[in-house]
């Protein structure tokens, strides 16, 4: 009898646990921080008050809603999710983290408006923002069929992206996602396996990626804003800027490369490949132009250790532009060719400009040639 009773109690406990898990998996409508606490507070994860709020359930956030947690530290746990659909949502907190497997999602993956566009979320904190990774990643995904959504993070502390921030096209005509990461009181860093991508389709344009820090920027991953025409990638820091790759190439039919800039209050290190190429037409009826990149170290050196390519598409595209300015010195290695070559018999080359207050040491090839005509390589050294 006792054994039967024990088995019955254990069975009821398992059923209750299963019911709790099923409840966590079901989306709960919310529009305020108080509603999230009311629904996730009984678990002890996000009680009312000023202490930490750990979100472990799935919430669906309405359009125009503001989740104002005040000075609380907010973490989306691996079982948690904020689904903003195609809505516009604001979140305010003392600090904000997404644990491994945690998710902020606003995918516009339906066929009809407004659910064919990615959502828009603005996260504002007085402290740090941390998108984490272990075996799995924390993720923000606002990709869309017609247009990628918007992710804006304004942090008073540092921003660390070990997971993914994605605002991609889902269809070949989708594009124009926006990712903006701004730290007014710290650094912006990303991991070597993280993804920061605002990729457009072949029949649209790449998106916009803007990364700004009052401290340093150290990006361990490639930034992606390619599309039918390449998008825009801007990186700026009050300290040093370390970039390990950019891709804003043009695709589709004669798409042009995008634009990029890397500024630093001290030095700039370009440690990964940069691709801003245009592409040709399948019928060879025209070629897209190469893109443009401006690199500036306002109080230090510029070091380029990998290729920067802003070449045109064939048969008649124009090469792009590569400009580097340093108050210190500029150096490139033999593994870092700089090319604004015009591809095709009717193409023209672009411009390469290196200007340093001290020295210029360029071991890599510099190519501004074109099928119809070459252009300019301009090197100025103050010492």
């Amino acid at each position: 009898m006792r054994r039967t009773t024990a088995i019955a109690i254990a069975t009821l406990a398992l059923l209750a646990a299963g019911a709790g898990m099923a409840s966590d998996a079901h989306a709960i409508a919310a529009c305020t921080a108080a509603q999230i606490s009311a629904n996730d507070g009984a678990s002890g994860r996000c009680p009312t008050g000023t202490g930490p709020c750990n979100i472990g359930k799935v919430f669906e956030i309405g359009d125009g809603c503001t989740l104002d947690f005040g000075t609380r530290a907010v973490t989306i746990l691996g079982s948690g999710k904020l689904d903003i659909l195609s809505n516009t949502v604001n979140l305010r907190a003392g600090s904000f983290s997404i644990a491994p497997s945690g998710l902020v999602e606003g995918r516009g993956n339906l066929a009809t408006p407004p659910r064919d566009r990615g959502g828009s979320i603005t996260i504002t904190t007085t402290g740090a923002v941390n998108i984490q990774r272990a075996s799995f990643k924390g993720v923000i995904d606002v990709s869309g069929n017609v247009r990628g959504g918007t992710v804006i993070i304004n942090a008073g502390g540092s921003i660390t992206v070990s997971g993914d921030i994605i605002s991609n096209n889902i269809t070949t005509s989708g594009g124009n996602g926006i990712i903006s990461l701004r730290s007014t009181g710290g650094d912006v860093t990303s991991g070597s396996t993280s993804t920061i991508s605002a990729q457009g389709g072949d029949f649209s344009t790449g998106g916009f990626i803007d990364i700004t820090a009052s401290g340093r920027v150290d990006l361990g991953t490639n930034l992606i804003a390619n599309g039918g025409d390449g998008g825009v990638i801007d990186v700026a820091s009050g300290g040093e800027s370390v970039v390990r790759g950019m891709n804003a190439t043009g695709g589709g039919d004669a798409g042009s490369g995008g634009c990029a800039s890397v500024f630093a209050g001290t030095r700039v290190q370009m440690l990964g490949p940069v691709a801003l190429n245009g592409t040709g037409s399948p019928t060879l009826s025209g070629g897209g132009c190469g893109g443009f990149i401006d690199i500036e170290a306002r109080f230090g050196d510029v070091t380029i250790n990998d290729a920067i390519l802003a070449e045109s598409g064939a048969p008649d595209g124009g090469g792009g532009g590569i400009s580097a300015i340093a108050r210190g010195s500029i150096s490139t290695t033999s593994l870092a060719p700089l090319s604004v070559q015009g591809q095709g018999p009717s193409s023209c080359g672009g411009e390469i400009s290196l200007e340093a207050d001290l020295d210029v040491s360029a071991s890599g090839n510099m190519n501004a040639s074109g099928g119809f005509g070459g252009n300019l390589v301009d090197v100025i050294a103050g010492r």
Side-chain angles (χ1 to χ4, degrees):
M1 176 67 75
R2 290 178 181 174
R3 183 181 178 192
T4 303
T5 303
I7 292 173
I9 292 172
T11 302
L12 288 172
L14 287 172
L15 289 173
M21 292 192 311
S23 176
D24 281 2
H26 179 70
I28 302 167
C31 193
T32 66
Q35 289 173 332
I36 289 179
S37 291
N39 285 280
D40 213 358
S43 63
R45 291 183 293 230
C46 186
T48 58
T50 59
C53 172
N54 298 312
I55 300 172
K57 293 186 178 182
V58 179
F59 291 91
E60 187 175 291
I61 313 302
D63 191 29
C65 293
T66 295
L67 308 178
D68 191 346
F69 292 92
T71 60
R72 302 181 73 180
V74 176
T75 300
I76 299 179
L77 302 176
S79 59
K81 176 181 176 181
L82 297 182
D83 192 347
I84 67 171
L85 306 176
S86 296
N87 298 328
T88 298
V89 174
N90 291 282
L91 187 150
R92 301 185 184 123
S95 65
F96 181 74
S97 299
I98 303 178
S101 298
L103 181 61
V104 173
E105 185 173 86
R107 285 172 63 84
N109 55 2
L110 300 186
T112 57
R115 290 295 312 281
D116 56 355
R117 297 170 181 263
S120 174
I121 185 164
T122 299
I123 298 168
T124 304
T125 66
T126 54
V129 172
N130 188 1
I131 302 175
Q132 301 171 4
R133 176 188 180 274
S135 298
F136 298 95
K137 298 179 181 180
V139 175
I140 300 176
D141 187 355
V142 293
S143 301
N145 285 340
V146 172
R147 186 183 298 272
T150 299
V151 177
I152 298 174
I153 298 177
N154 296 314
S158 293
I159 299 173
T160 304
V161 182
S162 300
D164 296 342
I165 302 178
I166 304 169
S167 181
N168 285 342
N169 66 300
I170 298 177
T171 67
T172 56
S173 60
N176 292 327
I178 297 172
I179 298 172
S180 177
L181 310 180
R182 291 176 174 265
S183 169
T184 58
D187 307 328
V188 176
T189 60
S190 68
S192 59
T193 61
S194 64
T195 298
I196 300 176
S197 177
Q199 180 172 289
D202 284 345
F203 300 103
S204 186
T205 60
F208 176 74
I209 299 176
D210 171 38
I211 297 177
T212 304
S214 61
R216 68 194 297 266
V217 173
D218 189 348
L219 303 176
T221 187
N222 189 34
L223 303 177
I224 303 171
N226 52 15
D229 288 316
V232 177
I233 302 174
D234 291 328
V235 174
S237 71
E240 70 170 341
S241 291
V242 183
V243 176
R244 292 178 176 83
M246 292 178 165
N247 188 341
T249 58
D253 190 352
S256 294
C259 297
S261 65
V262 182
F263 295 152
T266 57
R267 66 176 179 171
V268 173
Q269 297 188 73
M270 304 295 293
L271 304 183
V274 175
L276 304 171
N277 297 325
T279 190
S281 169
T283 62
L284 296 181
S285 59
C289 295
F292 294 85
I293 183 169
D294 293 318
I295 302 168
E296 182 176 351
R298 293 169 177 161
F299 198 76
D301 300 335
V302 170
T303 301
I304 302 173
N305 284 350
D306 213 322
I308 299 179
L309 306 179
E311 300 177 343
S312 80
D316 59 357
I322 299 171
S323 172
I325 299 174
R327 285 298 181 96
S329 297
I330 297 174
S331 63
T332 73
T333 71
S334 59
L335 299 177
L338 308 180
S339 180
V340 290
Q341 183 179 11
Q343 302 285 347
S346 301
S347 66
C348 59
E351 294 188 7
I352 298 172
S353 174
L354 307 179
E355 182 176 351
D357 281 10
L358 299 179
D359 306 327
V360 175
S361 174
S363 302
N365 182 49
M366 291 186 282
N367 186 351
S369 63
F372 181 76
N375 203 329
L376 177 67
V377 175
D378 185 23
V379 179
I380 300 173
R383 196 168 64 176

